[in-house]
Amino acid sequence: MTTQVEPNGPKLVSIPTNPVPEGARVGYFTTSDKVRLRYARWLKSEGPQRGTICLVQGRTEYIEKYFETVADFRRRGFAVATFDWRGQGGSDRLIGDPTVGYVDRFEDYWTDLRSFHADILLPDCPGPFYLVGHSMGGLASLVATTRDRMMFDRVFLSAPMVGLHGMDESLSRWAMIAETASFLGLGKLPLKRKGDRRPDEAMYPDNPLTSDMLRYKRMVETVRADDGLYLGSPSFRWLAAAMRAMLDTRRERFAGEIRIPLLILAAARDQIVSTPAIEHLGLRLRTGRHMVIAGSRHEMFMENDNVRGQVLAAFDAFITQQSS
């Protein structure tokens, strides 16, 4: 089967080092608040039918970045469905500068996920449904678990953004600064940071994402093939919304509101999100647990084979074997 694209719909970027997995169905759907999002879905490629993995990405990411992981899940008997969050990837950008990350409220990501579940997962994908989320997508997934415990059977998170590296004590102060800037009409302006420039091979030695040079280069080549996938600095409004959502996970009652079986993986060498904040949340969970992956940088699904092997082994123990 070849890739199927809706008439006048979106496409997936395919390059020799990162080809589109066979059998992709690509299209747009519209959220309940009228934002157009790009999605893709695949049937399983091997094994017994185990259900569908709903894969949600981190900030700045896009569907193409997860082609290798999509193939891993499909070989295990899972269909895979994924989409680009509002404001990034091939979905609608929300402000005049398409390279600046923006969202009005973090709750809007819940709207994206809820609309995707209703419009794509339920009618078009085999159940049961399992949610896999990374970084910002992990935080959005946590919000979802407190809203509706019937949407997904299990939730698997890698490096969820429940805090920022080195900011455990200052997060509240920075949230107030970002909120004040937004109140003063500066919400759409970017907070420019060195690490937000377009990726290139020269950035690899100091990159905080992965220790795997070939997978890092693959990310660079994909964005180079379609610059429209690039997203740079976050806006003050995005920071205000995201930081308040992170602070919300520190509420004493938050962990108890999660009633879905949950496994959280933290990266021991993470320089993007706060591993101590993940551990603190993990220790408070009633229906889940956490583990730290030694040697891993932030993007565990893009890491070297040793780290990825540990991540997929954890996935198998928590989801694949439980779906038999």
Side-chain angles (χ1 to χ4, degrees):
M1 181 187 293
T2 58
T3 301
Q4 300 178 47
V5 181
E6 292 182 356
N8 303 314
K11 294 179 173 59
L12 295 173
V13 177
S14 186
I15 59 176
T17 56
N18 192 44
V20 180
E22 282 289 315
R25 182 70 170 90
V26 190
Y28 290 120
F29 71 100
T30 303
T31 65
S32 58
D33 60 344
K34 309 304 180 186
V35 179
R36 189 183 67 167
L37 307 184
R38 182 181 69 155
Y39 78 91
R41 60 183 177 88
W42 290 263
L43 298 176
K44 71 178 183 69
S45 59
E46 299 176 30
Q49 179 62 60
R50 298 183 184 277
T52 298
I53 300 298
C54 176
L55 178 61
V56 293
Q57 318 145 10
R59 193 190 86 83
T60 79
E61 295 188 321
Y62 41 86
I63 294 169
E64 288 86 347
K65 195 169 178 178
Y66 285 86
F67 284 168
E68 181 181 16
T69 302
V70 166
D72 290 328
F73 292 153
R74 295 178 70 209
R75 282 192 294 268
R76 286 163 165 77
F78 294 100
V80 180
T82 185
F83 65 95
D84 292 330
W85 297 112
R86 65 180 65 202
Q88 63 188 61
S91 294
D92 283 351
R93 302 293 172 109
L94 305 176
I95 58 177
D97 187 343
T99 69
V100 176
Y102 182 87
V103 73
D104 287 324
R105 308 171 305 151
F106 202 83
E107 187 81 9
D108 292 342
Y109 293 129
W110 162 237
T111 299
D112 292 351
L113 181 58
R114 184 177 56 199
S115 297
F116 184 66
H117 186 274
D119 295 345
I120 304 299
L121 286 181
L122 284 176
D124 298 329
C125 302
F129 303 130
Y130 304 98
L131 183 59
V132 175
H134 171 67
S135 196
M136 186 197 80
L139 178 57
S141 298
L142 287 168
V143 171
T145 65
T146 66
R147 296 290 194 276
D148 188 341
R149 59 178 177 154
M150 304 302 291
M151 288 173 64
F152 300 99
D153 278 35
R154 287 177 173 247
V155 178
F156 181 90
L157 305 181
S158 73
M161 191 183 69
V162 297
L164 298 177
H165 177 71
M167 295 180 59
D168 287 328
E169 302 301 323
S170 61
L171 190 62
S172 181
R173 175 162 51 86
W174 273 102
M176 291 181 62
I177 292 171
E179 287 170 340
T180 300
S182 298
F183 178 77
L184 294 174
L186 306 177
K188 294 181 181 180
L189 294 181
L191 178 65
K192 294 189 176 181
R193 307 173 301 176
K194 179 180 177 181
D196 292 324
R197 66 182 189 270
R198 280 174 175 78
D200 61 56
E201 291 86 349
M203 296 166 63
Y204 169 73
D206 298 320
N207 92 88
L209 304 178
T210 174
S211 63
D212 190 284
M213 183 175 64
L214 292 180
R215 290 187 174 100
Y216 185 83
K217 185 178 179 182
R218 187 176 66 195
M219 291 186 261
V220 171
E221 292 171 343
T222 301
V223 174
R224 190 172 289 153
D226 185 352
D227 192 62
L229 295 176
Y230 169 70
L231 185 68
S233 300
S235 64
F236 281 101
R237 182 65 238 158
W238 184 92
L239 286 166
M243 287 177 172
R244 281 301 167 194
M246 290 182 240
L247 288 168
D248 192 51
T249 67
R250 301 182 181 184
R251 288 187 299 110
E252 195 61 36
R253 293 188 300 173
F254 184 86
E257 293 171 352
I258 299 172
R259 306 289 180 85
I260 303 174
L262 169 67
L263 178 61
I264 301 177
L265 303 188
R269 299 177 60 196
D270 206 321
Q271 296 181 43
I272 303 292
V273 306
S274 169
T275 295
I278 295 173
E279 292 181 289
H280 180 66
L281 174 63
L283 292 171
R284 292 155 48 215
L285 292 172
R286 297 180 183 178
T287 58
R289 59 191 180 90
H290 76 284
M291 59 187 295
V292 179
I293 304 297
S296 179
R297 299 185 195 181
H298 178 62
E299 295 196 354
M300 286 178 265
F301 285 116
M302 317 298 161
E303 260 288 7
N304 61 63
D305 289 345
N306 178 57
V307 170
R308 290 188 87 251
Q310 295 178 66
V311 172
L312 292 171
F315 173 87
D316 288 337
F318 184 68
I319 292 185
T320 305
Q321 294 170 17
Q322 301 302 319
S323 66
S324 301

